[in-house]
Amino acid sequence: MSPVAVHGLPYRAAVRTVGTMDGMPRRIEPSTDRTAAARMLGCAPDEVGYCPRCQGLTRRYGRGAQIICTACRAAEEAGRAASGAG
């Protein structure tokens, strides 16, 4: 079965992260165009919303939504790993 196109963008079941060369996900600035953010996140523009922690853009709505952005989640995981609480 092939992916279903939503608003011209293919649906991807796996969540894509927007990263840097060091492998850490980066925050998508709220001033970023929603269509561009949607392409980075692999979703439709109407699924893009604000992360409640950093106010960066994330895939907030729809199937596969992530309320907390990948950058905040990665920072939280790094903090847990550094403190030894796993």
Side-chain angles (χ1 to χ4, degrees), residues 7-80:
H7 298 283
L9 298 173
Y11 172 76
R12 290 176 177 79
V15 176
R16 290 174 33 182
T17 59
V18 180
T20 58
M21 288 180 65
D22 65 1
M24 288 295 291
R26 66 181 174 124
R27 178 177 182 258
I28 301 175
E29 293 295 323
S31 60
T32 304
D33 178 68
R34 290 211 185 257
T35 303
R39 286 182 186 247
M40 287 187 263
L41 295 166
C43 65
D46 61 350
E47 294 177 346
V48 174
Y50 296 103
C51 170
R53 292 187 183 169
C54 71
Q55 299 304 306
L57 296 177
T58 187
R59 185 178 192 164
R60 178 88 192 242
Y61 309 102
R63 189 173 178 183
Q66 295 183 332
I67 304 302
I68 305 300
C69 74
T70 55
C72 287
R73 237 180 286 122
E76 184 178 296
E77 289 296 320
R80 261 192 235 146

